[in-house]
Each structure stands twice: as structure tokens, then as C-alpha cells.
Amino acid sequence: MDIAFDAARTQSVTPRLRRALVAGLLVSLFGLVSATQAADYTMTIAHLYPDDLKNNETAPALKHFEQLVEAATDGAVDVEVFGNGALGGEVEVAQQARAGKTIQSVMLGSGTQASFYRNYEMITAPFLFPDYRTAWAFFDSAWFADFMKPMIGESGLRYLGTLDDGGGFVAFANNKRLIKTVEDLKGMRIRVEENQAHMTIMTALGASPTTLPWGELQTGLATGLVDGHFHAPGVNDIFKLYDVTDYTTWSGHVYNTITWSVSEAWFKDLPREYQEIIVTSAREAIAMAHGIATQITVIGWANSCEKFDECYVLPEAEKARMRDIAQPIYRDWLVEEFGPKAALFDEMRAEIDRIQQSQRRASIERYLD
């Protein structure tokens, strides 16, 4: 009796359950399709740094940017980040970003950036910045934003901001000897990007600049094709360049950067509201990246002094010697290459000096007087 009743009850309930399950499945599928279709725009960002959120500033900054943009647009803009050169080398992805079809945004090192916007070579000048605060304030200034605007017409890329490449201020690393004076650089084959400014600086300091793509650097150092290179301490640590070099000197003679840009063709098709979200979200991500970069620099230099055979911080007096040698030669090269446009460099140096003095006065007035 009980069995018959249970069987009848099961038979009567099953169709209802089946209908409910089917309805629930349809709702779930509809929700999945809706979520998939919710993104009206895709912003694919390509960069060379590892996708690791702990060993570089680019990955965490872009992760934060992704969260900000997708939340603010309610998923209408889908941000997809590809690190570690997964989508190709810098030149390749920048070329694709110009059209904005498969890649919409790129992060470019100083050398590659200069090849897409010639004026950027001025940013690779020797001993341009006295300290981090001045560099950050300059790159976030209205003056620099105006400086970068012509890049749209020249390359089809719109400037979003500047990150500190592994920490900004560079350190030499080489297999020949510990660099303590400018004389120690004489005859060294120093790897540089395809960047005439860097070549000029190295030649002025007595080294032999040798162009080599980033992807061939470790092999070039291991085989002796080049004797050394210069990158920020964070880069040396992230990519374990102490495995192929013995000595490192934190000279700070160049401030390496990562320039973040977006395809103008893609960007101008966005609703104004989304354009504003992307720009403001990028500013917050960049501010975050500055802090992360300095932490990576401190850790990178500490690890460098443990893992290289010898490490050395160049004293201010020797920096001044290098600066006095390199800057006039660089300035002559700039006039030869840029002609009257070299005056823009003088304006830039004046703006950097103004920012430094303004910050110094503000610090004294607020915290001392």
C-alpha cells in the first residue's frame, strides 16, 4: 500500500520537477548568453611583463584597471590582459593596436615607444630626473600630456600614462668589471634598444653600444655577444639577469619607462561615458603602479646585492661626472636630429626643474617652517 502510494506520488511529481528543471536550465542558459553578450566592446591589452601580480608593477596595475572599467561600465567593456609577450613582440603588437581590431592597447618600453613617436627620444636623455617624486609629477603633469598629444596623429595611438619600467632608474649589469667610474665603461659592449639616444649616451661615456632585441638579451650575455646592459634593478631581478652577468652598479643615468597607449581608432568609437571611465581608471592604475614599482626596485636591488658577485651604488660625485660628459654630447645630437624642435627639450628640462623646486618648497613650507 505504501509502495503503491509512493510510486503514484513519484509519477505525479516527476513531470512537475522535469518542467521546473527545464525552466531553470533555460533561465541559466539565457543568463549565460546575456552575460556573454553584455560586453559591447573588448579592450585587449598586450605587454611583455610576466602575468605575476607580485614581481612587477604592470600586471597588478592592469588587473586593477580591468576591475575598475568592467565594474564602472557594468561589463559593457571587457578588458582582457595578455602579458609575457603572449601576443607578440612590442613592435608587432603596437602595429596591431594602431588599427584597434585584434589589440586595442599596448605597453611599450622607451626604445619601442620612440620608434612610434619620435619626440619620445627626448625622454631617454641622460640624468633627466633627480628623484622619483619629480619624475612621477612630471609624467602626470599637464605639460607632459600636451607633449604626448601629437602621438595620435603620428602613430594612431592615444597616450594613457607612464609606468616606471621595473622601477625607472637603471643599473648597469655586466660580466667585465664592477663599474665605479666612467672610465670603467671604456670599450664595454653595452646592449641597447634600437634607440639612437641610448646609443649616443653610451658612446659619450666610452662604451660600445650594441643593439639587441629584448628576447635575445640573455643569450647575448651568456655567449659574450654583449658584455652588459642597463635596466632598473627590478627588471634584473624579475628576469634573473644575475644568472648571466656578474657585476651591477646602480647608476640611474637613464629613467626607463613603460608608455601605456590605446588605439585611437577604437577609442573614438566608444561612447563618451566609456572614454571617461577608461581615462580616469588608467590614472588610478598608474598611481598604484608607481608605488608598486618602488617596492619592486627596493627588493630588486637588495636581491641584486645578494645574487650578483658585486654590487655598487654610484656616488653623486661620479654621477655628476657622467652627467657633465654625456649631457652636452646628447644635446648636440638632439640639435642635429631634431633641428628647431630641440627647443622642446629645453622647455622640458625647464619644466622638470620647476616641478623639482616647487616640490622642495612645498615640503619645507608644509613640514619644516
Side-chain angles (χ1 to χ4, degrees):
M1 184 69 177
D2 291 339
I3 294 176
F5 173 78
D6 288 344
R9 183 175 60 183
T10 300
Q11 289 173 356
S12 63
V13 171
T14 298
R16 291 201 300 271
L17 284 174
R18 186 178 293 114
R19 287 194 296 273
L21 288 171
V22 170
L25 180 60
L26 289 173
V27 169
S28 298
L29 288 173
F30 178 76
L32 180 61
V33 171
S34 297
T36 303
Q37 294 176 341
D40 299 320
Y41 305 93
T42 299
M43 184 179 182
T44 299
I45 308 175
H47 67 92
L48 291 184
Y49 271 101
D51 290 316
D52 193 319
L53 297 179
K54 297 180 180 178
N55 72 3
N56 67 90
E57 72 272 25
T58 302
L62 290 180
K63 174 59 70 175
H64 185 58
F65 173 79
E66 176 183 352
Q67 293 168 345
L68 289 175
V69 170
E70 291 183 351
T73 64
D74 198 23
V77 177
D78 178 27
V79 178
E80 298 181 351
V81 180
F82 293 87
N84 215 29
L87 300 183
E90 284 189 326
V91 173
E92 179 185 353
V93 296
Q95 291 284 12
Q96 293 183 56
R98 296 170 105 167
K101 301 297 184 184
T102 56
I103 297 174
Q104 289 74 42
S105 182
V106 288
M107 318 287 281
L108 302 178
S110 304
T112 307
Q113 178 59 40
S115 70
F116 281 87
Y117 180 47
R118 186 74 194 288
N119 285 356
Y120 204 83
E121 288 197 0
M122 298 181 189
I123 304 301
T124 62
F127 299 100
L128 188 61
F129 300 108
D131 51 55
Y132 282 106
R133 289 182 66 218
T134 302
W136 296 339
F138 173 74
F139 285 124
D140 292 337
S141 69
W143 192 98
F144 188 67
D146 288 339
F147 174 85
M148 294 298 291
K149 281 178 181 175
M151 183 173 72
I152 295 174
E154 191 170 317
S155 68
L157 297 172
R158 173 182 288 267
Y159 173 70
L160 288 180
T162 300
L163 286 75
D164 320 292
D165 191 355
F169 290 111
V170 300
F172 283 110
N174 79 93
N175 287 314
K176 286 289 187 181
R177 53 188 169 268
L178 188 64
I179 298 169
K180 291 188 172 183
T181 68
V182 64
E183 287 79 15
D184 292 327
L185 280 163
K186 187 172 182 179
M188 274 196 196
R189 297 187 302 276
I190 300 295
R191 177 266 178 184
V192 295
E193 299 172 318
E194 193 68 45
N195 183 314
Q196 287 295 327
H198 284 180
M199 294 180 201
T200 300
I201 294 167
M202 287 299 98
T203 301
L205 295 177
S208 177
T210 305
T211 59
L212 198 65
W214 167 256
E216 299 175 22
L217 175 58
Q218 292 223 12
T219 301
L221 290 165
T223 60
L225 178 63
V226 291
D227 299 317
H229 64 96
F230 54 85
H231 285 96
V235 175
N236 292 333
D237 191 35
I238 293 165
F239 293 97
K240 297 179 171 54
L241 293 173
Y242 41 73
D243 287 342
V244 285
T245 44
D246 299 324
Y247 311 104
T248 185
T249 297
W250 201 353
S251 57
H253 64 280
V254 168
Y255 197 93
N256 270 350
T257 60
I258 300 172
T259 303
W260 185 6
S261 58
V262 62
S263 166
E264 178 67 4
W266 177 80
F267 187 80
K268 69 182 182 182
D269 284 341
L270 294 175
R272 173 76 181 190
E273 176 189 2
Y274 295 169
Q275 292 177 351
E276 292 178 359
I277 289 170
I278 286 173
V279 168
T280 55
S281 298
R283 302 317 305 165
E284 177 163 330
I286 289 161
M288 176 182 288
H290 288 327
I292 297 171
T294 49
Q295 180 185 26
I296 288 168
T297 296
V298 171
I299 295 171
W301 183 249
N303 287 342
S304 292
C305 287
E306 288 182 6
K307 296 174 181 178
F308 281 90
D309 289 353
E310 293 185 71
C311 71
Y312 185 72
V313 177
L314 203 67
E316 289 302 318
E318 194 58 33
K319 284 185 180 181
R321 284 189 68 210
M322 288 189 179
R323 181 171 59 247
D324 291 345
I325 292 170
Q327 282 188 349
I329 295 173
Y330 175 86
R331 182 67 175 74
D332 290 343
W333 168 81
L334 202 67
V335 171
E336 183 179 342
E337 291 291 316
F338 286 85
K341 284 180 67 176
L344 186 60
F345 176 72
D346 297 329
E347 293 176 23
M348 180 175 69
R349 292 294 303 272
E351 179 64 12
I352 292 171
D353 184 62
R354 185 197 67 77
I355 289 172
Q356 181 192 13
Q357 295 305 320
S358 175
Q359 288 186 327
R360 185 175 186 277
R361 284 195 303 271
S363 296
I364 292 172
E365 290 170 1
R366 294 170 187 171
Y367 306 107
L368 181 60
D369 291 343

